[in-house]
Amino acid sequence: MALKSAWELAQERTGGKTAVKLTTAQKEKLAELDRVYTAKIAECELDLNPKIAAARATGKFEDVQKLEETMRAEIAKLRGKLEAEKEKVRQAK
């Protein structure tokens, strides 16, 4: 069984249809959303990374795991929100 490229998988999902053309305003909104959510993710990392480092330094490895999981969950939630908002922009006419 041969592995398929991302392009081939995307073609299968869309039935071979080409992507919808985006307007300039939509492209600008998508770029703005990327900037906003990149900043939110960075803010989350800046908040939790020092706490993780402090917990590691004191040998509280359970706390390290909890904080790392919290950070992963927060980042995943933010990325999910970003994709949902991007999809709304793409679907807008």
Side-chain angles (χ1 to χ4, degrees):
M1 178 161 96
L3 295 176
K4 295 182 180 182
S5 69
W7 182 80
E8 289 170 321
L9 293 171
Q11 288 297 313
E12 284 180 7
R13 282 193 300 268
T14 62
K17 298 175 188 172
T18 57
V20 176
K21 300 289 182 187
L22 298 174
T23 65
T24 304
Q26 285 173 312
K27 289 177 185 178
E28 289 173 359
K29 181 65 178 169
L30 291 173
E32 177 63 22
L33 287 170
D34 278 332
R35 283 189 294 275
V36 167
Y37 278 89
T38 298
K40 288 182 180 187
I41 289 170
E43 185 178 305
C44 175
E45 290 172 340
L46 285 172
D47 179 44
L48 291 172
N49 278 335
K51 293 175 184 177
I52 292 169
R56 242 187 218 119
T58 59
K60 297 179 180 176
F61 297 110
E62 279 186 23
D63 291 347
V64 170
Q65 286 180 327
K66 288 177 186 175
L67 289 166
E68 286 175 342
E69 181 57 36
T70 300
M71 185 166 67
R72 278 192 297 274
E74 269 306 303
I75 290 172
K77 185 171 90 174
L78 289 168
R79 286 185 178 146
K81 285 182 180 180
L82 170 61
E83 287 307 315
E85 288 192 36
K86 281 180 156 184
E87 193 55 35
K88 286 180 190 175
V89 171
R90 288 183 192 112
Q91 299 300 321
K93 295 286 178 175

